[in-house]
Amino acid sequence: MLHLLHLRYTAAEDEVALYIAGHVAYLERHHAAGTFLISGQTVPTSEGGAIIAHGVDRDAIERITAEDPFVTSGVAEYTVTTIAPGRAHPALADVLAPGL
């Protein structure tokens, strides 16, 4: 399973900025674990960010997003879209859609 995580700020960027260090540590932890494949800010940055995650089920990704310091501090929220990949570019198939 793949999960598209859309992070939307619910507070002004200056308030969100107070929690950036904790959020970056959260991202680094989940990238190191192999759960987060890609993460980055939206353009414009005032909207939030996005993450592509894999290797865990929907319940686990919901728990993971609930632990983000942005979420626990009340300055952002996630929308999770879970995808069962049907096709993947050959260069990405082993990572994004094993078994295809």
Side-chain angles (χ1 to χ4, degrees):
M1 292 287 170
L2 283 176
H3 308 282
L4 301 179
L5 313 178
H6 180 249
L7 179 69
R8 185 181 66 81
Y9 296 148
T10 57
E13 278 189 278
D14 58 338
E15 188 175 348
V16 172
L18 300 171
Y19 305 99
I20 288 175
H23 176 71
V24 169
Y26 161 86
L27 292 173
E28 289 175 354
R29 185 172 64 251
H30 290 288
H31 274 288
T35 306
F36 291 175
L37 298 174
I38 299 169
S39 62
Q41 289 186 295
T42 58
V43 178
T45 60
S46 61
E47 294 177 9
I51 300 168
I52 297 176
H54 82 131
V56 296
D57 64 19
R58 177 67 181 240
D59 289 340
I61 206 64
E62 294 280 354
R63 286 191 301 275
I64 289 168
T65 58
E67 296 170 355
D68 185 333
F70 283 169
V71 173
T72 61
S73 299
V75 298
E77 62 187 14
Y78 280 95
T79 301
V80 178
T81 303
T82 299
I83 299 170
R87 291 175 205 65
H89 186 280
L92 301 175
D94 289 342
V95 173
L96 298 181
L100 286 181

